Amino acid sequence: MVLKDKKLSYHGTDRSLLARQGTRGKSRVRAIAVGGSVIMGSVILAGCGTSSPTPSASSKVVTVTFWDGLTGALGNQLQAMVTSFNKTHPNIHVVATYEGSYAGGGAEQEKLLAAIQAHNVPDIAQIEVHSVPVFASVGALMPLTSFVNKSPTDQPQSFVPGMTVSTQYQGTTYAIPFNRSVELIYYNKAMFAAAHLTNPPNTWQQLVQDAKVLTHGTGTTKVFGFSPVADWWPWESAVWSGGGHILSPNLNQAEFDKPAALSVLSMEKALQQNGYGLVESGPEKFSLTTESFITQRVAMDEDSSANIAYVGNQVGTKFPWGTVMMPKDVTRAVPPGGADIAIMEGIPKATAQAAWKFIEWWTSTPQTIRWSEATGYLPLKKAALTDPAYQTFVQQHPQEQAALEEIRYQHQPPASPHYLGVLGYVEIQLSAIFSNNVPVSTAMHQAAQQANTILQAQ
Amino acid sequence: MADRNEIIMIGPKNKTALRESFGSWLFLSPALIAVLLFLILPAGYVAYISLFQSTIVNPTNRYIGLANYGSLLRSASFGNAMIHTIVFAIGVTIVVVSMGLALAVQLDKNLRGTRAFRVIFFLPYVFPLVSSGLAFMWLLQPQYGLLDSLLTRLGLPAVNWLGNVHTALLMVIAVTIWEYLGFYMLIFLGGLQAVDVNIKEAAAVDGATNRTIFWRVVIPSISPSLFFALVISVVQAFQAFDQIYIMTQGGPVTATTTLTYYIYTQGFQFFNMGKASAVAVLLLILLTGLTFLQFLLGKKWVVIDN
């Protein structure tokens, strides 16, 4: 599955395609090495149990192991913040290790599965927002209700509305927002002005019209009006915006092949077919789309809000640009993006308490502002939005505004333990639609049938 | 003769033999334990898991007998992966064996610069497939890649080599060939250099042409190398994973999903370890069968010099 915003790095670091691909390759090699050692380690440690600090000995330092999925500048920022936490909390020592991407099918997730089976889990882990139900449904995550209820700072209403959509499974909180993003439409203001368009699109109909007007030129100098990404993340928004549903309410039937669920997807496909839309394919399709926007091959594209800082650095003063919320069709709805943090089930109580302290610290207003300003991820707390320092930051980075507005339109993805498998089939058929010209309804009907086989297997 | 052997086997001497061979077993034991622990036991466990319906954390959730195999053999996606694997194996094997042999024959002539070429052809094999895959991905990239920028300069349209269902598998095959060609060249070179010069000269004296010498003397002489190359190349092709994971992740659509990549997607994208294990078992059976067949056919053409 495609990596979303997690391999991005910011603020003057080397963000070339090659560098990122290099990181990916490395992470795979590491994945194999670490995967091997996880298995080895679990064999060796099987009889040893987990070293548990005694709760009574308050002077003892409690070690909290943390598996994260952030590399490059993001990983460095994470480490820097963990170091500051450790400095200010002498009784707790958080050890954060990069385990590969946390995306569905990413190395961190694979290792977590192996660790759960081997009963040798880390204490806390970053969990991709769509995977929280997957891990929660099998009892791998510790319910956080009692922590949340007692917390002076992390009550659900303290978070930005819409931010906690991904953190619950069957009414119980299993995760806390950690590094979060939403998808946006990026648009080239210079091209809009040249085409005499005054406002960015607000609806999919407007986007289609604008894309036609913005398309010009031929051959290698052709500019495409819009570049959608043939990926399940924006696809979720497409299904919901058209008034469709991904799964039935009881989660055992795919409904994304119904007409409403296909309307936005069909508009995107028509744009591609008529030469107004550029759709990238292959494992690097997200990066390629971003690069197309930066190099002015497209006037609008779909991208993660976590990419604002990177695009800003790359575009510089070459052209003015802005972001706008994902358009609405029948309604406006976007999936959450990024990751939450969860405490693993079965770890000692004292460790869980120390882990919770770290989570509270991370989500605290000053820390979430620090994280957001350094990385471009969304601030988690309501209080951050009214903080003068953060308001100054948004004034300097006006593209963040659309992301902040969009947070409340986040929709909870289906909380099915089989959902990642469903997305796997969708991803294949999206590729069939845009790379192989399979009709939208045929492809999605096939994906729905395949999805039903895993949804109805039990 | 046979009877006598049997008598020895059950006679008291057997104990002595056992005692004598104990030392050998002792020396073999580290390797045997490793093979048992890391090959035979896991393989057995995979076969066991393949009989179960899995959940994300419990591979042996519910015993379902051979149902995983049944659903695989009926599924279009498995058939699809099988076809890609066969195309991949045939494509890679034919090219690496024929081109490897052709290169080896040229390098065996001791022309000027032979050493340099030997190193150049062998060099790709030294690189990990992951890095070769990344390098090729960069060369084949449609917007900035070298190949497409050359094409557009010649006035030809740029092709999204790895994003097109018709070209992606070919490109993955090409990288695999580039990676392994030198290895096979080296095997053949070893074989060629061991060919008895006397036989070649004798054939020449008898009036055989170079072509006849090649087909009647050289090829039979290096047939063990050829056989080895064929077996290994087919096995390698069936196990291909790294380059696919790096370059295409099985796509576009499922154009580059081979059996090993299919195992990976079943196991780690669909979290269905039972089904993934069933594919692994089928792959094992298939490879064993293929190798057995090769040995069987090999008896007809491989010349073993006693």
Side-chain angles (χ1 to χ4, degrees):
Chain A
M1 241 164 257
V2 175
L3 315 179
K4 299 279 148 42
D5 38 36
K6 38 297 296 172
K7 51 183 176 160
L8 313 179
S9 48
Y10 296 91
H11 297 312
T13 49
D14 183 6
R15 265 278 321 236
S16 72
L17 262 177
L18 195 61
R20 274 177 290 155
Q21 288 168 353
T23 318
R24 245 188 78 197
K26 257 196 323 217
S27 69
R28 170 160 153 63
V29 176
R30 241 192 90 174
I32 296 166
V34 182
S37 46
V38 165
I39 296 161
M40 286 288 288
S42 58
V43 171
I44 295 159
L45 291 176
C48 306
T50 320
S51 58
S52 60
T54 42
S56 53
S58 57
S59 59
K60 267 194 173 174
V61 176
V62 180
T63 299
V64 176
T65 52
F66 173 21
W67 281 11
D68 72 77
L70 292 170
T71 180
L74 293 177
N76 294 341
Q77 178 64 25
L78 178 88
Q79 289 295 344
M81 289 181 63
V82 166
T83 307
S84 353
F85 173 83
N86 288 339
K87 270 192 193 146
T88 50
H89 297 75
N91 290 339
I92 304 172
H93 188 73
V94 176
V95 182
T97 48
Y98 172 66
E99 301 288 343
S101 164
Y102 58 69
E108 189 230 13
Q109 219 175 67
E110 290 170 5
K111 279 184 255 178
L112 213 46
L113 282 174
I116 292 165
Q117 285 178 28
H119 303 290
N120 186 28
V121 290
D123 299 319
I124 47 176
Q126 244 180 323
I127 312 272
E128 200 273 334
V129 284
H130 293 78
S131 305
V132 171
V134 176
F135 284 100
S137 68
V138 293
L141 308 181
M142 190 179 278
L144 300 179
T145 319
S146 62
F147 286 116
V148 172
N149 288 345
K150 278 185 251 161
S151 174
T153 54
D154 278 8
Q155 299 288 332
Q157 63 272 18
S158 68
F159 288 91
V160 178
M163 198 55 96
T164 55
V165 292
S166 56
T167 59
Q168 294 201 338
Y169 177 68
Q170 295 186 339
T172 305
T173 300
Y174 285 98
I176 298 295
F178 192 77
N179 60 308
R180 292 283 293 276
S181 54
V182 285
E183 57 212 17
L184 296 169
I185 300 290
Y186 285 53
Y187 69 103
N188 183 320
K189 286 184 173 174
M191 289 184 184
F192 268 66
H196 307 293
L197 295 170
T198 43
N199 290 313
N202 183 41
T203 67
W204 277 102
Q205 292 290 351
Q206 288 169 359
L207 182 139
V208 168
Q209 290 307 319
D210 293 352
K212 287 179 187 171
V213 180
L214 289 159
T215 301
H216 59 88
T218 51
T220 50
T221 56
K222 176 165 179 174
V223 173
F224 292 86
F226 179 51
S227 188
V229 188
D231 181 86
W232 58 259
W233 195 40
W235 166 83
E236 288 179 317
S237 172
V239 170
W240 294 327
S241 304
H245 302 284
I246 296 174
L247 302 184
S248 61
N250 63 3
L251 305 175
N252 70 359
Q253 181 83 28
E255 294 200 339
F256 55 79
D257 57 343
K258 303 258 165 74
L262 304 178
S263 64
V264 173
L265 202 55
S266 303
M267 285 188 231
E268 292 179 329
K269 178 64 196 171
L271 281 177
Q272 184 203 31
Q273 250 166 350
N274 299 326
Y276 306 121
L278 175 69
V279 186
E280 299 290 356
S281 56
E284 294 299 320
K285 60 195 165 196
F286 259 98
S287 325
L288 291 175
T289 308
T290 307
E291 298 304 317
S292 294
F293 180 76
I294 292 164
T295 53
Q296 306 195 63
R297 281 187 77 210
V298 298
M300 297 182 278
D301 78 329
E302 284 176 342
D303 208 338
S304 165
S305 65
N307 244 348
I308 291 174
Y310 170 66
V311 172
N313 283 341
Q314 295 296 305
V315 171
T317 53
K318 272 179 260 169
F319 60 90
W321 61 285
T323 60
V324 59
M325 284 193 280
M326 289 301 284
K328 61 179 181 183
D329 188 31
V330 173
T331 179
R332 196 191 310 275
V334 292
D340 294 333
I341 190 162
I343 301 179
M344 302 307 288
E345 184 61 287
I347 66 163
K349 208 177 161 201
T351 313
Q353 279 164 347
W356 179 256
K357 280 233 161 58
F358 172 69
I359 293 173
E360 275 188 334
W361 178 86
W362 181 277
T363 55
S364 69
T365 305
Q367 301 311 325
T368 196
I369 290 176
R370 180 181 167 193
W371 173 247
S372 297
E373 290 188 359
T375 62
Y377 278 106
L378 297 168
L380 305 171
K381 290 289 181 58
K382 261 187 208 164
L385 299 179
T386 50
D387 186 280
Y390 188 71
Q391 285 182 333
T392 315
F393 173 77
V394 175
Q395 273 165 15
Q396 288 160 355
H397 301 82
Q399 289 92 353
E400 299 282 352
Q401 194 60 46
L404 298 175
E405 280 169 35
E406 203 183 74
I407 299 173
R408 67 196 151 107
Y409 294 105
Q410 286 183 98
H411 212 77
Q412 183 176 28
S416 161
H418 307 294
Y419 191 48
L420 295 183
V422 172
L423 293 179
Y425 287 125
V426 167
E427 187 80 355
I428 289 172
Q429 292 305 325
L430 285 173
S431 170
I433 292 169
F434 291 102
S435 300
N436 211 17
N437 283 326
V438 175
V440 172
S441 56
T442 315
M444 281 301 141
H445 183 60
Q446 192 176 343
Q449 282 184 322
Q450 289 171 317
N452 285 339
T453 60
I454 48 173
L455 292 169
Q456 293 156 12
Q458 256 76 34
Chain B
M1 194 68 179
D3 286 345
R4 228 197 267 167
N5 272 340
E6 270 172 41
I7 292 161
I8 290 167
M9 285 302 284
I10 52 167
K13 266 191 178 175
N14 192 26
K15 276 189 182 165
T16 330
L18 244 174
R19 214 173 299 142
E20 275 169 8
S21 64
F22 178 75
S24 320
W25 285 110
L26 196 70
F27 281 111
L28 275 174
S29 60
L32 285 178
I33 289 170
V35 167
L36 190 74
L37 262 182
F38 297 110
L39 198 76
I40 297 176
L41 284 181
Y45 187 58
V46 164
Y48 173 72
I49 293 177
S50 75
L51 305 174
F52 288 84
Q53 187 178 59
S54 310
T55 65
I56 182 167
V57 288
N58 186 6
T60 53
N61 186 46
R62 191 159 66 90
Y63 179 78
I64 50 167
L66 295 173
N68 279 329
Y69 293 91
S71 81
L72 275 176
L73 295 175
R74 281 192 305 273
S75 99
S77 58
F78 176 75
N80 196 28
M82 179 68 93
I83 292 168
H84 295 150
T85 309
I86 292 170
V87 170
F88 185 92
I90 292 177
V92 170
T93 302
I94 287 181
V95 179
V96 293
V97 171
S98 59
M99 271 181 70
L101 182 61
L103 285 176
V105 168
Q106 293 308 313
L107 291 181
D108 192 38
K109 289 180 179 163
N110 272 328
L111 303 171
R112 274 183 67 156
T114 299
R115 276 172 163 239
F117 278 110
R118 223 183 281 173
V119 173
I120 290 168
F121 290 132
F122 189 70
L123 210 53
Y125 187 68
V126 179
F127 299 130
L129 253 178
V130 171
S131 43
S132 306
L134 281 171
F136 269 84
M137 204 170 150
W138 192 235
L139 289 172
L140 298 168
Q141 208 279 331
Q143 288 171 29
Y144 321 96
L146 180 69
L147 187 58
D148 275 344
S149 70
L150 287 176
L151 283 180
T152 42
R153 243 172 240 190
L154 292 170
L156 296 165
V159 179
N160 188 354
W161 299 101
L162 294 173
N164 184 312
V165 279
H166 304 294
T167 53
L169 188 61
L170 272 178
M171 292 303 116
V172 177
I173 290 175
V175 173
T176 313
I177 291 169
W178 181 82
E179 177 84 20
Y180 289 128
L181 188 59
F183 171 70
Y184 291 97
M185 176 207 74
L186 208 66
I187 290 174
F188 295 135
L189 201 57
L192 286 172
Q193 289 178 349
V195 176
D196 194 341
V197 186
N198 291 332
I199 307 178
K200 279 205 260 184
E201 281 173 359
V205 168
D206 288 347
T209 59
N210 280 343
R211 179 185 284 235
T212 317
I213 292 175
F214 180 75
W215 288 108
R216 295 292 176 83
V217 177
V218 175
I219 289 289
S221 301
I222 64 160
S223 59
S225 307
L226 268 172
F227 178 68
F228 173 78
L230 277 174
V231 172
I232 295 297
S233 165
V234 169
V235 171
Q236 246 173 5
F238 270 80
Q239 291 176 341
F241 178 82
D242 305 31
Q243 61 274 54
I244 296 166
Y245 180 89
I246 290 296
M247 293 173 72
T248 59
Q249 298 186 346
V253 199
T254 51
T256 54
T257 299
T258 56
L259 283 179
T260 36
Y261 197 79
Y262 190 74
I263 294 174
Y264 169 77
T265 52
Q266 285 299 328
F268 288 106
Q269 274 183 18
F270 302 118
F271 304 113
N272 196 341
M273 288 300 168
K275 211 169 192 178
S277 304
V279 185
V281 171
L282 288 177
L283 182 64
L284 179 72
I285 294 172
L286 189 73
L287 272 181
T288 313
L290 262 178
T291 310
F292 181 72
L293 192 74
Q294 281 178 315
F295 269 90
L296 214 63
L297 292 176
K299 279 187 184 160
K300 293 198 191 306
W301 63 273
V302 176
V303 181
I304 293 165
D305 187 16
N306 287 318

